[in-house]
Amino acid sequence: MLDRLTKAQLAIFGVVTVITVAIMAIFYLRLPAALGIGTYKVTADFVTGGGLYKNANVTYRGVEVGRVESVNLTNTGVEAVLSLKSGIDIPSDLVAQVHSESAIGEQYIELLPHNGSAPPLKNGDVILEANTTVPPDINTTLSAVNTGLKAVPQGNLKTVIDESYTAVGGLGPELTRIVKGTTDLSIEARKNLDPLIALIDQSQPVLNSQTNTSDSVQAWASHLATVTSELQNHDQAVGGFIANGAPAASEARQLFERLQPTLPTLLANLASVGQVAVTYQKDIEELLVLLPQAVAEGQAGIVANVNTKQAYRGQYLSFNLNLNLPPPCMTGFLPAQQQRIPSFEDYPDRVAGDLYCRIPQDSQFNVRGARNIPCETVPGKRAPTVKMCESDEQYVPLNNGDNWKGDPNATLSDQDVPQLPPGSPPAAGPPGEPTAGAGPPGSPAAAAGPPGGPPMPIAAAEYDPATGTYVGPNGRLYTQSDLSQTAPKDKTWQSMLVPPGS
């Protein structure tokens, strides 16, 4: 008969035995996985076994996710049945690679996905042979290495080994840093495996563009070789530039510091000038082309007087006074009542609007006036302002230029004189003067002045022919004796020295 203590001890021992056997069955013997509990099966086709064996590990991103359940021969290669853990989503778009954990074997299968967006693997899926790889046979590799070493003469091989020792001897710390840096780089690459794989997959268009532009790349390399050859041939000049570059840069910096208050303003203004120069590029080019010819023609006028008694006169020109041929253009300018008298020394504000000759563009008057300026941005169009060039507005003349404006009431055109921006009121002169569209001198509209204002006098100075006396614009009385009827017809140098009125 067993006593009570013995029974308790036996019970405790039995419980411990059951627990131990359960733990061994679950974690060591992996009985649930062997029974298919919590796992699913995937088949991978390989060309050869590559040393793969049953119960080999299966990893995904460096983590064990299953084991090889069996390795079987097929008509075309080897079939490996993988038992993978449930609950781990492994993308189905992947590559299965056989690797070795050490130099003596211990092969395992590494699952490398192309991207993380593919549907996960499921029970019964097959990884095709095109998406599997096996390591090269170690015997074949060693045989190839041995054959390569035999092809190298022993003396040269010894020299290579000795030179390699000389090259890397004593560089242990540096090589250690290189190896450690490579390891860290590999670890970071594994952490960012999906973006790295996506980068590799998407690099094909870039590589194709490089292939398609191989001629351009070769030409660039050839030009680069030419540049480097020139630098080599002018090594002394390049060395002098490098040696003197720093002092020159320092001097330039000091110059910019001294010009600090004005240089930014100058550069800003040059930017505006540059924009205008870009717009008028063709005109500047034509000016530069015609300038030498103009200088040559100017020199030709001087050469005619070389070695002659008239050489001191300089330019050989003929100044013929062609007065009033053609007559000046008055249309589009202010009428006589609003024109400034030259003796006035004040500076009134400029009248609103644009003052220019507003007659037909093909008229013989003022052919180089503002109305015939070519539009730079609209070829074939001519207009007096940039705004008219850039818009659909067309130039409209006021009359043919025979008189000041023609129609006193501006009924021939809806444009005022001078030309105002759209929506602006007509320009008006000082108080008591007529408006810009009042009409030509002597017309009723011009004489009447503004509504309700006094008549405006004509801007003219009358004089007495008998005495040569006249009233100036300032209201004072002046006498010009040579204007009188009794003035001598022929002047002498003595009479020119006598003050007027004597």
Side-chain angles (χ1 to χ4, degrees):
M1 297 298 292
L2 299 176
D3 57 7
R4 192 169 184 179
L5 177 60
T6 303
K7 292 181 180 180
Q9 291 177 344
L10 291 175
I12 294 173
F13 178 76
V15 171
V16 171
T17 302
V18 171
I19 294 174
T20 304
V21 171
I23 292 175
M24 293 178 61
I26 295 174
F27 295 100
Y28 182 74
L29 299 178
R30 300 186 179 183
L31 186 60
L35 298 177
I37 301 174
T39 61
Y40 64 96
K41 296 181 180 180
V42 174
T43 303
D45 296 332
F46 295 92
V47 178
T48 62
L52 197 62
Y53 56 90
K54 183 179 179 181
N55 293 329
N57 290 332
V58 179
T59 63
Y60 169 62
R61 294 185 177 181
V63 178
E64 181 183 345
V65 295
R67 288 183 174 273
V68 177
E69 185 174 290
S70 63
V71 180
N72 306 315
L73 291 174
T74 63
N75 295 330
T76 58
V78 175
E79 177 186 78
V81 179
L82 311 182
S83 178
L84 304 179
K85 297 178 182 179
S86 301
I88 300 177
D89 293 336
I90 302 175
S92 58
D93 185 8
L94 51 77
V95 175
Q97 299 179 346
V98 177
H99 293 283
S100 296
E101 293 183 358
S102 64
I104 61 175
E106 300 183 20
Q107 277 74 10
Y108 69 97
I109 295 179
E110 173 71 13
L111 302 179
L112 300 175
H114 289 143
N115 58 73
S117 60
L121 289 173
K122 60 183 182 299
N123 188 45
D125 283 351
V126 177
I127 303 176
L128 301 179
E129 184 179 313
N131 295 325
T132 61
T133 61
V134 294
D137 183 55
I138 186 64
N139 296 325
T140 304
T141 304
L142 293 177
S143 177
V145 172
N146 188 29
T147 303
L149 293 177
K150 289 181 179 180
V152 180
Q154 294 184 359
N156 296 342
L157 182 60
K158 182 178 182 303
T159 302
V160 171
I161 296 176
D162 293 342
E163 293 296 331
S164 300
Y165 173 77
T166 304
V168 300
L171 298 178
E174 287 76 8
L175 294 177
T176 302
R177 285 196 294 269
I178 293 176
V179 174
K180 185 177 184 303
T182 305
T183 304
D184 295 340
L185 180 61
S186 301
I187 294 174
E188 292 297 326
R190 180 175 290 275
K191 292 180 180 178
N192 299 276
L193 183 61
D194 291 342
L196 185 61
I197 294 177
L199 176 62
I200 296 175
D201 293 339
Q202 297 174 7
S203 64
Q204 183 175 1
V206 178
L207 298 178
N208 291 339
S209 65
Q210 298 299 313
T211 303
N212 297 333
T213 59
S214 59
D215 295 339
S216 301
V217 174
Q218 292 178 358
W220 177 82
S222 176
H223 297 329
L224 181 61
T226 303
V227 172
T228 54
S229 299
E230 291 295 328
L231 292 176
Q232 184 178 4
N233 296 334
H234 299 82
D235 182 67
Q236 294 182 354
V238 175
F241 172 77
I242 296 175
N244 299 325
S250 178
E251 293 291 336
R253 180 180 58 80
Q254 295 177 7
L255 175 61
F256 289 149
E257 290 178 354
R258 290 196 299 269
L259 297 177
Q260 184 66 27
T262 57
L263 184 60
T265 304
L266 174 61
L267 295 179
N269 294 336
L270 288 179
S272 302
V273 174
Q275 295 175 358
V276 176
V278 170
T279 304
Y280 290 89
Q281 177 183 359
K282 297 181 180 179
D283 303 80
I284 296 175
E285 291 178 355
E286 183 177 3
L287 178 62
L288 295 177
V289 171
L290 297 178
L291 181 60
Q293 183 63 26
V295 174
E297 293 176 356
Q299 292 176 346
I302 299 175
V303 171
N305 282 339
V306 174
N307 299 326
T308 63
K309 295 181 179 180
Q310 291 81 17
Y312 66 93
R313 295 184 179 179
Q315 191 81 9
Y316 185 77
L317 296 174
S318 176
F319 294 95
N320 296 326
L321 298 178
N322 297 324
L323 299 177
N324 215 32
L325 291 176
C329 175
M330 303 297 294
T331 300
F333 297 95
L334 295 178
Q337 292 87 347
Q338 296 186 30
Q339 295 178 3
R340 302 296 301 170
I341 299 176
S343 61
F344 285 2
E345 297 179 355
D346 57 347
Y347 46 94
D349 294 336
R350 187 181 182 277
V351 296
D354 299 323
L355 298 174
Y356 61 92
C357 182
R358 297 177 61 190
I359 59 177
Q361 291 179 327
D362 57 354
S363 177
Q364 62 178 344
F365 303 109
N366 196 17
V367 294
R368 295 184 178 87
R371 72 182 190 280
N372 284 328
I373 296 178
C375 295
E376 292 295 327
T377 57
V378 185
K381 183 178 180 181
R382 293 177 296 164
T385 62
V386 176
K387 183 177 182 181
M388 187 179 294
C389 283
E390 299 292 340
S391 65
D392 296 334
E393 181 183 2
Q394 298 296 327
Y395 171 77
V396 178
L398 292 180
N399 61 16
N400 56 8
D402 292 338
N403 51 19
W404 173 73
K405 185 169 184 292
D407 179 17
N409 299 319
T411 58
L412 298 180
S413 172
D414 58 353
Q415 298 173 332
D416 297 325
V417 179
Q419 181 175 327
L420 298 173
S424 300
E433 295 186 2
T435 60
S443 65
M456 291 301 300
I458 301 299
E462 299 182 355
Y463 71 97
D464 185 0
T467 62
T469 302
Y470 64 93
V471 179
N474 54 6
R476 296 183 180 181
L477 185 65
Y478 295 92
T479 301
Q480 188 74 20
S481 59
D482 55 359
L483 297 179
S484 64
Q485 296 177 353
T486 58
K489 300 301 182 183
D490 298 328
K491 293 184 178 181
T492 63
W493 66 271
Q494 295 89 346
S495 64
M496 296 177 64
L497 297 177
V498 178
S502 301

